[in-house]
Amino acid sequence: MCGIFGYIGSDNGIHYTLEALQLMEYRGYDSAGIVFEEEKAFTLIKTVGKVAELKKTVNTRVANTTSSKALGHTRWATHGIPCEKNAHPHQSNDGSVVIVHNGIIENYQELRTELVAEGYSFISDTDTEILVNYIEYMAQKEGGIKQGLVRALQHVKGAFAIALMSTRDTSSIYAMRRGAPLLLGIGKGEYFLASDMCAFLQHTNDVIFLDENELVTLHDTEYSIESLYTGERIDKSIESVDFDIQSAQKQGYAHYMLKEIYEQPDVIEQSLIGKLSDGKIVLSHLPKEQPPRIHIIACGTSYYAGLWGKYAIEELAGIPVEVEIASEFRYRKKALDKNTLVLAITQSGETADTVAGCAIARELGCKTMAICNVVGSTITRMVDTVLYTQAGPEISVASTKAMTSQMIALLCIALHYSSNRESEQYREYIGGLQHLASTVRDILPQTEKIARQYAELCKDKKSFFYLGRGYCYPLALEGALKLKELTYIHAEGYPAGEMKHGPIALVEKSLMTIALLFDDEFGEKTQSAISEIQAREGQVIAIAPLGLVTTADFEWHLPKTVDLLQSFIMLPALQLLSYSIACLLDRNVDMPRNLAKSVTVE
Ligand code: AGP
C-alpha cells in the first residue's frame, strides 16, 4: 500500500506535495519522491527512507522553486527493494511521461516483453516503470497522451491508482483508480488527487469519491471525469466531509487496529493476485518439486500462523512440517537435516530471534525461505526465496491483517505442492478462496456487533481459556495472545484435548472459556471439553459455524465455508472480541503497554 498525491493550481505544488506525503506516510515509508513541472520540463527528486529525507533534499536542491503542477509518492515496496531507483515517480525512457502509482500491475511481464521488443530498457525492478513506458509507447502510437493513456489502461491488468503528467500536454494531470483508493479534492481554483483525503483536508473538505475506471483530467483550473471504456463524461457529486486529519488517516476508524481488521478482505484479494489462475495456485518462484520436509521458525503471532500452516501443508501436500519458536531454535542443539527447508515467517523481517534462526539455518546448509511483509527487510536479504505478503504497512502493534496474509501464503504453499491438484477437495479450496474475501467483507460488521456484545460479558473476567483442536488450536493460541496483549487480562490457548491433563483444575465460575469449533471430526471432541468445564461451573462461549449446536452457555455462530477456510472467518471474530474488550477497558489499543511492533533485540 503506497500513498500517491497530485496537485494542480495557483499555489506551490511542491510545498503541498511534501506536506501531503508526510500526512500519508502511514501508508508506506520505505522511500518517497516528487516530480514537478517547470517551463514544460520535469524535475524528479527521489530518496530512500522517510518523507523527511525527501523534504531535506528538495529544500536543498530547489529551495525557492515553485510549481503549479506536482506529483508525489510515498512507497511501501511490493516489487523491487526500497532504493532510489525503485522509488517513485517513474519516468518513461524518453522523459516525456512521469507517473506515481499505488498497487500491482498483474500483466507487467507481458508488457515488459512487448516493450523490450520495441527497444525500451528499464532502470528499476518495478512494475511501475514498465507501466509508464507502456503509456508513452501507446501515446506515440495513438498520437496523444490522453489517447495513449486510455488505450494502455484498457490493456493493463491489476489493482492500481495512478496520476501522471506528460510533456505532450504540460497543462494537465491525468489520474485513474482500479482496485486501489483515489480521491479528488476540489479546492478554490486548485485540485488535489490523493490515496487518502488526510493528504488535503487542511485545504478543502470538498471531495469526489472516484469509482473504478473513471479517467480524471485536471486541466489548469478545470476538471473532467469520463468513462475509460466509453469516453462518456461522468458527473460526480461533490461530498463535503467532516473528517479531521487524524481520523482520516484511520479512514474514520477509531483505531488503526480496527481499520486493519477491516482491511483483511482486501489483503486476501491482494495476496492472491498473480497466484491464482486457471483454477490453480501457482507460485512461479517456488521449485515445483516438494521439499522433503519444512521447519518453520517464527515468533508470536507469526509462530501461530506457522502452526496453522503445518496443518494445511501436511493435509494438502503431505510434507512433514515442524514449527518452532525462533528463540528456542537458535539455541537448541539441533539435528537438522540439510535437506530441510527452513521457512521463516515474519511480518517485519527484523525480529532478532528469527533473524538469528535464519543465519543458523544457512550455516547448517539448509535451503531457506521467508514469508514476509516488508520488501528489502533484513530477513528477506538472508534467505534463498521470499514469498511477500501483500498486507501493506501494519501500524497497530497487535498483528491482525499480517496473520491473515501469512495464512494465505501458507495455504498457497500447501496448494502449490498439493499432491492431488485434480481432486474435488482441491477444486473446493480454489472455489472457496475465490469467494473468501467477499465472505469476510460481508461478515465483518455483524461480527463486530456480536464481539461488542460479548465484550460486555467478558470485560470483568480475570482469566480465560481459549480451546481448539486441529486448525482451531493455533487460532486458540492467537486468540489468547490478542486478549493478553490488548486487554492485559491473563489468557491461555490450549489444545482442547489437553484440558483433562491438568489445566481443568483451574476451572471455576470466574474462569471464562472461549471454545473454537469447526464442523469437523474435532467438533464433537471439543464439545466434550465444553461439558467437562461446565460440569465444574466454568462458563463457555463457543465460536462455531452456523448449524453446529453445542451445550455452551453462549453460542457465537459464524457463516460456514470450506473446511480450513473457516479459519479466515473465525480469526476476525477473535481479533474483534479482544479489540472490543480493550476498548471497554480503555486500553491503548494501537500501542499496548510494554510492546513494540518489531522486537529487534533478544
Ligand atoms: C503479535 O500481535 C505481536 N505484535 C507479536 O507477537 C509479533 O507477531 C511477533 O513479535 C513477531 O513479529 P514478526 O512477525 O515481525 O517477526
Side-chain angles (χ1 to χ4, degrees):
M1 174 166 81
C2 306
I4 71 171
F5 180 79
Y7 173 82
I8 191 166
S10 52
D11 211 325
N12 182 359
I14 299 172
H15 165 71
Y16 277 8
T17 301
L18 292 171
E19 177 192 71
L21 293 181
Q22 203 107 45
L23 289 163
M24 289 196 292
E25 205 159 31
Y26 77 89
R27 298 180 60 84
Y29 37 77
D30 57 48
S31 52
I34 185 172
V35 60
F36 54 87
E37 183 265 337
E38 216 184 347
E39 280 133 43
K40 301 191 183 309
F42 296 133
T43 303
L44 262 85
I45 301 176
K46 315 196 264 192
T47 54
V48 178
K50 296 214 164 199
V51 174
E53 284 307 308
L54 177 67
K55 270 180 112 164
K56 222 186 296 174
T57 307
V58 170
N59 291 337
T60 311
R61 281 180 46 186
V62 287
N64 303 315
T65 305
T66 63
S67 169
S68 63
K69 278 179 283 307
L71 305 175
H73 185 277
T74 181
R75 185 169 184 243
W76 181 265
T78 55
H79 284 77
I81 62 168
C83 59
E84 193 172 320
K85 70 171 181 159
N86 287 339
H88 299 216
H90 284 283
Q91 192 163 22
S92 56
N93 281 191
D94 68 354
S96 70
V97 186
V98 288
I99 197 171
V100 289
H101 163 226
N102 172 30
I104 296 175
I105 304 301
E106 212 172 312
N107 57 336
Y108 73 96
Q109 297 284 20
E110 171 206 320
L111 304 180
R112 187 182 208 284
T113 306
E114 191 177 343
L115 290 169
V116 168
E118 295 290 337
Y120 285 81
S121 59
F122 303 98
I123 306 163
S124 78
D125 315 316
T126 66
D127 52 349
T128 308
E129 192 186 6
I130 292 164
L131 175 62
V132 71
N133 279 292
Y134 189 68
I135 292 167
E136 185 277 322
Y137 170 55
M138 283 299 168
Q140 271 190 55
K141 289 177 81 166
E142 297 293 322
I145 182 62
K146 186 169 179 179
Q147 301 88 317
L149 176 62
V150 168
R151 180 90 185 277
L153 294 182
Q154 289 173 348
H155 187 65
V156 162
K157 295 192 185 81
F160 55 82
I162 57 167
L164 67 101
M165 297 190 285
S166 168
T167 51
R168 290 169 178 266
D169 170 7
T170 52
S171 53
S172 303
I173 291 180
Y174 297 95
M176 195 186 89
R177 60 159 292 173
R178 182 186 295 160
L182 187 64
L183 306 165
L184 176 57
I186 311 291
K188 291 184 178 32
E190 56 189 10
Y191 299 104
F192 308 85
L193 287 158
S195 305
D196 184 326
M197 66 177 81
C198 68
F200 55 70
L201 272 181
Q202 69 276 39
H203 303 297
T204 180
N205 285 59
D206 293 337
V207 182
I208 289 179
F209 291 87
L210 296 166
D211 288 307
E212 310 284 84
N213 300 311
E214 293 180 341
L215 184 65
V216 179
T217 303
L218 303 181
H219 183 86
D220 288 339
T221 58
E222 281 141 38
Y223 76 91
S224 66
I225 301 173
E226 60 197 86
S227 159
L228 177 74
Y229 294 105
T230 65
E232 273 165 34
R233 192 179 174 89
I234 301 170
D235 288 326
K236 306 280 289 183
S237 58
I238 299 176
E239 320 274 341
S240 182
V241 296
D242 58 1
F243 277 145
D244 59 42
I245 292 178
Q246 271 295 323
S247 60
Q249 285 173 321
K250 295 173 197 151
Q251 278 154 26
Y253 291 102
H255 301 97
Y256 279 113
M257 180 179 177
L258 189 60
K259 171 174 166 284
E260 288 158 5
I261 289 170
Y262 274 83
E263 282 177 351
Q264 289 179 123
D266 297 342
V267 167
I268 291 169
E269 281 170 346
Q270 296 284 333
S271 300
L272 291 172
I273 286 181
K275 300 187 181 76
L276 182 55
S277 63
D278 302 331
K280 295 278 186 297
I281 286 284
V282 178
L283 300 181
S284 50
H285 54 312
L286 254 57
K288 289 233 180 322
E289 63 285 349
Q290 288 192 355
R293 68 188 59 73
I294 296 174
H295 197 100
I296 293 174
I297 59 173
C299 301
T301 287
S302 299
Y303 170 69
Y304 301 143
L307 274 179
W308 184 91
K310 168 188 170 70
Y311 285 88
I313 295 170
E314 292 196 345
E315 176 189 352
L316 298 177
I319 302 172
V321 179
E322 285 302 317
V323 191
E324 189 170 7
I325 289 177
S327 54
E328 289 300 309
F329 176 81
R330 70 183 288 193
Y331 293 113
R332 183 168 64 83
K333 298 290 170 280
K334 52 189 107 15
L336 202 60
D337 176 328
K338 66 195 252 181
N339 292 321
T340 302
L341 171 65
V342 175
L343 169 59
I345 302 177
T346 172
Q347 187 284 129
S348 63
E350 303 296 344
T351 300
D353 289 321
T354 314
V355 169
C358 290
I360 290 166
R362 294 186 65 82
E363 283 158 19
L364 294 170
C366 296
K367 278 264 176 278
T368 52
M369 181 176 165
I371 292 174
C372 185
N373 195 40
V374 182
V375 176
S377 55
T378 301
I379 287 174
T380 65
R381 286 179 277 114
M382 295 173 74
V383 297
D384 301 314
T385 312
V386 184
L387 185 50
Y388 282 114
T389 50
Q390 304 296 340
E394 190 173 63
I395 308 297
S396 188
V397 168
S399 191
T400 50
K401 61 176 183 172
M403 181 172 187
T404 290
S405 67
Q406 291 165 346
M407 289 160 60
I408 291 284
L410 288 156
L411 180 54
C412 287
I413 291 172
L415 290 167
H416 172 82
Y417 287 125
S418 170
S419 33
N420 187 351
R421 297 154 70 85
E422 302 310 323
S423 68
E424 182 52 32
Q425 182 198 44
Y426 186 93
R427 277 195 294 277
E428 263 197 346
Y429 278 134
I430 297 298
L433 267 177
Q434 283 165 328
H435 299 100
L436 185 61
S438 55
T439 306
V440 175
R441 190 172 287 119
D442 292 347
I443 60 130
L444 281 173
Q446 177 65 6
T447 301
E448 180 182 355
K449 187 162 162 279
I450 298 171
R452 289 188 187 276
Q453 290 164 357
Y454 279 121
E456 292 290 349
L457 179 71
C458 295
K459 68 181 172 42
D460 299 322
K461 294 291 182 182
K462 298 298 174 236
S463 185
F464 284 74
F465 268 144
Y466 282 70
L467 301 180
R469 283 175 181 259
Y471 291 100
C472 288
Y473 168 43
L475 295 174
L477 293 171
E478 170 60 9
L481 176 64
K482 281 288 150 308
L483 192 78
K484 284 180 274 199
E485 61 179 335
L486 286 160
T487 69
Y488 317 150
I489 298 172
H490 180 259
E492 277 190 86
Y494 241 88
E498 271 296 284
M499 281 300 286
K500 51 188 169 306
H501 298 286
I504 200 159
L506 290 173
V507 174
E508 56 187 29
K509 207 174 264 181
S510 65
L511 177 90
M512 175 63 81
T513 296
I514 312 289
L516 311 184
L517 304 92
F518 285 175
D519 190 1
D520 59 12
E521 71 273 25
F522 295 128
E524 282 154 44
K525 300 193 184 311
T526 303
Q527 170 52 56
S528 58
I530 293 172
S531 309
E532 287 160 19
I533 291 166
Q534 288 179 306
R536 293 157 180 83
E537 297 188 298
Q539 268 195 324
V540 182
I541 299 174
I543 304 182
L546 273 176
L548 185 62
V549 179
T550 73
T551 62
D553 304 274
F554 307 94
E555 290 193 332
W556 182 351
H557 283 118
L558 296 166
K560 190 168 163 42
T561 181
V562 178
D563 300 345
L564 63 76
L565 297 182
Q566 194 72 40
S567 310
F568 296 93
I569 309 274
M570 186 173 281
L571 182 58
L574 298 170
Q575 296 163 347
L576 287 165
L577 177 61
S578 295
Y579 171 80
S580 306
I581 299 170
C583 290
L584 290 176
L585 298 177
D586 199 20
R587 301 296 192 224
N588 183 341
V589 169
D590 283 329
M591 296 190 72
R593 69 184 183 193
N594 311 339
L595 297 185
K597 183 61 189 168
S598 177
V599 183
T600 55
V601 293
E602 269 204 77

